[in-house]
Amino acid sequence: MSVAPPSGSSDSSAAGPGPRMPQLLAAMRSVGSGLELRSTLDRICETAADLAGARYAAIGVVAEEGDGLAEFVFHGVDAATARRIGRLPDGRRGLLGALIREPEPVMLEDLGEDPRSCGLPEHHPPMRGFLGVPIRVQGEIFGNLYLAGKRGDDPFDSDDLALVRVLATEAGIAIGNARLYEAARQRERWIDGSVAVTTALLSGGDADDALQVVAEQARRLSGAAAGIVLLPADEGGLEVVAVASDLPTGLLGAVVPPESQIVAELLDGQAVFVMDAATDSRMLTAYASRYGPTMMVPLQSDGRFLGTLVTPRAPGAPAFTRAERTLAVRFAAQAALALIMAETQRDRERLAVFEDRDRIARDLHDVVIQRLFATGLMLEGAQHRSVVPEVREGVGKAVDELDVTIQEIRTAIFALQQGPAQPPSGLRTRVLREINTAAVPLGFKPAHRFTGPVDTAVGDLTGKNLIAALREALSNAFRHAGATRIEVVVDATVTLADGLPGVRLTVADDGVGIAEGGRRSGLRNLARRAESLGGASRLEPGVGENGGGTTVVWEAPY
């Protein structure tokens, strides 16, 4: 066993690069030829192995906390062997851990004889000679460069050490440049994401869709397995109101209990970072076992707390860096400001709508009903003066129709005057309201049918998403289908594919159908809403001739 002499030693065995100087210069040019951090690390490993004649090379990137390895990049071990070996070294023990604690060059004739070595894992290729050199970036330890298994089974010598130390210095410069480039790109991505969120939120739309935009952007920017938005729940704790994930999570509507220590910190506006959600004792929900490193940052602006943005990564994924945490906190603050601005904008629009509704209600009451009432009196007078039975009967029917019309207008006036603070209507009433609203741009009133206990069986969360799905389907029929006939069915007696009781919304039209290559964002919104509740959405033939048109089927558990 031999240990490398310290830097600046007068040991004559450290002979230096010597005749391999051209090879070293070529290696230095190769190491500094790119800006992508991961490709730079790969290139350093390959170049170092070629330079020292080693079969294997690796770089262990030291974690920010300095207690292990955040990343392990290797060269010389094929993918099949790497899969058999399994878990990569974490640098918390053995020789790799010793090199983290004492970042000095190490050269060994036989790796297995070193007392700091804890042996190689099963399926690992045999290794004897070992050479380890620290890599410093701007004076700070970035990681260590490891070489093993010199070709010909010769031990590494002082020339190899001198060459690799020079290469490690150049590698530190290249890694520093790559990290600056990566940091600049990362900041640019997060800034672009913040701009996208602000633009989407201020362009109008439903509040739930706004929260979904925040969740989707946060997940994309952080490289997380999911993006989750939680808002304070009425019963205490935090409720999941938006989820962005490639896989169904069943998280929507889940409540994190108020007794959780993390909930108390989040409600206090603090950011919480968890190294492994599956093993952290503070995580009280069963969903935490699915995830690894997790960021939980507050959605707050100007001291106003709106909720929490959660971005969990998959188990075994790299922990979030200090830079990622800082960028996530800033993104959440910007998103919170955009949400507040969007809320203010919606309040102004809502106030304008209510003012307009009040005006319309007054006009209907003071002008239209009075004129209809006067017309009815005139018709009754004409009815009494007429001597022709058929005329008297026809005028009587017209008077009856006017009475019905007056009652319907009075009902409409009551609906127009209903304020936002009044108790919400039942699901059946809300469905009818959407149908009546859609009748104006459509030019006709869609047919409708209800089956089962629609008002009592369907929960608030499912009902709210069903109304949003109905609104989307009717909007698509008006804007794209050119339909002349629409049928709406709400059935609360269905059994879903997984055996759960549920509600099914069916909106069928006789329009032109969906064009090949046409926009399908609305259909994706329908599917996302259903899947977030554990349901599904699909398309079927419509009610036109020969099955023309489109039928949207949307279903979810109660």
Side-chain angles (χ1 to χ4, degrees):
M1 177 184 75
S2 62
V3 178
S7 177
S9 169
S10 60
D11 187 345
S12 61
S13 63
R20 284 189 282 177
M21 180 61 74
Q23 187 181 359
L24 174 61
L25 294 176
M28 293 171 66
R29 285 195 299 271
S30 173
V31 164
S33 62
L35 286 175
E36 294 286 347
L37 181 56
R38 180 56 192 250
S39 62
T40 297
L41 297 179
D42 288 334
R43 193 162 51 252
I44 292 170
C45 286
E46 182 178 358
T47 303
D50 289 343
L51 186 63
R55 296 189 183 91
Y56 311 106
I59 293 177
V61 180
V62 178
E64 289 183 345
E65 296 78 10
D67 58 350
L69 296 178
E71 193 171 0
F72 190 81
V73 180
F74 57 88
H75 167 77
V77 177
D78 60 81
T81 302
R83 284 194 297 270
R84 288 196 298 270
I85 295 172
R87 190 178 184 88
L88 295 173
D90 57 14
R92 299 184 185 276
R93 59 194 184 94
L95 182 59
L96 301 191
L99 291 178
I100 293 175
R101 294 186 295 271
E102 300 176 8
E104 295 293 338
V106 172
M107 187 167 60
L108 306 174
E109 292 183 9
D110 191 340
L111 177 63
E113 294 181 359
D114 190 277
R116 296 168 295 182
S117 176
C118 58
L120 299 175
E122 188 178 3
H123 305 299
H124 198 288
M127 294 180 179
R128 292 190 73 252
F130 176 85
L131 184 60
V133 177
I135 298 177
R136 288 178 170 84
V137 177
Q138 297 178 344
E140 296 183 358
I141 290 295
F142 171 81
N144 288 285
L145 173 61
Y146 317 113
L147 299 173
K150 187 166 183 177
R151 291 182 175 86
D153 293 327
D154 295 328
F156 292 104
D157 56 27
S158 57
D159 285 349
D160 296 323
L161 175 61
L163 288 168
V164 173
R165 290 178 69 173
V166 173
L167 184 65
T169 301
E170 180 65 23
I173 297 172
I175 290 171
N177 293 336
R179 290 174 77 178
L180 290 173
Y181 175 73
E182 185 67 26
R185 288 187 59 193
Q186 192 176 54
R187 284 195 297 271
E188 183 180 358
R189 287 195 299 268
W190 282 89
I191 291 172
D192 289 344
S194 296
V195 172
V197 165
T198 303
T199 302
L201 298 189
L202 296 182
S203 63
D206 187 77
D208 292 339
D209 290 338
L211 295 174
Q212 186 67 28
V213 168
V214 173
E216 289 173 351
Q217 286 289 341
R219 177 203 169 207
R220 180 183 67 84
L221 293 169
S222 63
I228 305 167
V229 175
L230 300 95
L231 299 184
D234 295 336
E235 63 274 19
L238 292 168
E239 180 183 0
V240 177
V241 296
V243 179
S245 176
D246 286 338
L247 302 174
T249 63
L251 276 170
L252 195 64
V255 176
V256 184
E259 55 268 21
S260 168
Q261 175 188 346
I262 287 183
V263 167
E265 296 177 12
L266 295 175
L267 291 175
D268 194 38
Q270 301 179 39
V272 178
F273 305 101
V274 175
M275 294 300 295
D276 188 0
T279 59
D280 196 298
S281 59
R282 298 173 296 172
M283 307 293 285
L284 300 184
T285 63
Y287 303 105
S289 61
R290 307 174 184 175
Y291 301 112
T294 302
M295 286 193 297
M296 291 170 273
V297 294
L299 290 166
Q300 63 181 1
S301 179
D302 292 333
R304 180 182 172 187
F305 175 79
L306 302 181
T308 298
L309 177 61
V310 181
T311 50
R313 282 179 174 167
F320 291 99
T321 64
R322 190 177 294 110
E324 287 175 322
R325 296 178 182 185
T326 301
L327 291 169
V329 170
R330 293 175 181 172
F331 171 84
Q334 177 66 29
L337 178 60
L339 286 168
I340 292 174
M341 293 172 62
E343 181 183 6
T344 303
Q345 177 177 290
R346 284 193 297 270
D347 287 343
R348 287 198 300 267
E349 294 172 352
R350 194 178 297 116
L351 178 60
V353 169
F354 282 121
E355 290 175 346
D356 203 31
R357 286 170 59 173
D358 285 342
R359 179 187 59 78
I360 293 171
R362 287 195 303 271
D363 290 346
L364 287 174
H365 182 272
D366 297 340
V367 179
V368 178
I369 287 184
Q370 296 302 325
R371 288 182 178 177
L372 289 175
F373 188 71
T375 303
L377 291 177
M378 293 171 58
L379 288 173
E380 285 183 341
Q383 182 185 28
H384 293 315
R385 291 191 298 269
S386 176
V387 296
V388 181
E390 290 82 359
V391 173
R392 297 183 63 180
E393 181 180 357
V395 172
K397 289 181 179 179
V399 172
D400 292 339
E401 287 295 327
L402 283 176
D403 288 338
V404 172
T405 301
I406 290 173
Q407 292 301 319
E408 289 181 346
I409 292 176
R410 283 175 173 164
T411 301
I413 291 173
F414 175 77
L416 287 170
Q417 292 175 333
Q418 185 177 15
Q422 298 182 20
S425 306
L427 180 58
R428 187 187 302 261
T429 302
R430 285 182 284 163
V431 169
L432 291 174
R433 189 177 299 157
E434 291 296 329
I435 290 175
N436 290 331
T437 301
V440 176
L442 285 169
F444 63 92
K445 184 176 179 179
H448 62 274
R449 186 173 79 253
F450 298 95
T451 304
V454 172
D455 284 334
T456 58
V458 182
D460 290 341
L461 182 61
T462 300
K464 182 171 66 174
N465 280 276
L466 184 145
I467 292 298
L470 172 61
R471 187 181 303 132
E472 184 75 42
L474 290 174
S475 175
N476 288 340
F478 164 66
R479 291 183 297 171
H480 308 302
T484 59
R485 176 185 168 200
I486 298 177
E487 296 178 0
V488 177
V489 179
V490 181
D491 187 352
T493 65
V494 302
T495 300
L496 304 181
D498 55 6
L500 293 176
V503 59
R504 178 178 296 146
L505 167 68
T506 304
V507 181
D509 65 60
D510 64 348
V512 298
I514 300 177
E516 189 70 28
R519 294 183 60 187
R520 295 175 178 262
S521 57
L523 299 177
R524 287 196 295 270
N525 288 336
L526 293 174
R528 175 178 56 76
R529 287 185 179 276
E531 291 168 359
S532 67
L533 298 169
S537 179
R538 63 183 182 274
L539 296 180
E540 295 180 354
V543 292
E545 294 183 4
N546 301 319
T550 304
T551 297
V552 175
V553 180
W554 186 96
E555 57 190 19
Y558 291 150

